[in-house]
Amino acid sequence: MPDIKIVTEVAGRVCALPVEIGASLSEGDDIAFVEAMKMEIPVAAPAAGKLKSILVSLDDVVAEGQVLAVIET
């Protein structure tokens, strides 16, 4: 199956990355939090799989629609 890209729906600053590369994920698990308008917005896994890569770091400023991570299904 193809890899799944996880994108953020809001622009902001990456304030938390609670999951490590290689972790097993269930659909809906939070893989990052983006601070926008003084709120922490969770970015969730759209499908189950293994976290293959994280493409951002803490405190990175990200744009709406930017790929944050990749899941291997």
Side-chain angles (χ1 to χ4, degrees):
M1 296 188 94
D3 291 341
I4 297 173
K5 296 177 181 175
I6 302 172
V7 300
T8 179
E9 296 179 5
V10 297
R13 180 185 64 87
V14 178
C15 60
L17 294 167
V19 183
E20 295 186 14
I21 293 172
S24 293
L25 300 171
S26 297
E27 183 177 344
D29 285 353
D30 293 331
I31 61 98
F33 289 86
V34 176
E35 184 180 311
M37 299 178 289
K38 299 189 182 201
M39 294 175 55
E40 290 185 1
I41 312 297
V43 180
K50 186 168 112 179
L51 188 59
K52 183 177 181 179
S53 62
I54 300 173
L55 307 175
V56 294
S57 299
L58 281 178
D59 293 324
D60 281 0
V61 175
V62 295
E64 181 179 344
Q66 182 171 336
V67 178
L68 302 184
V70 177
I71 294 176
E72 188 176 60
T73 55

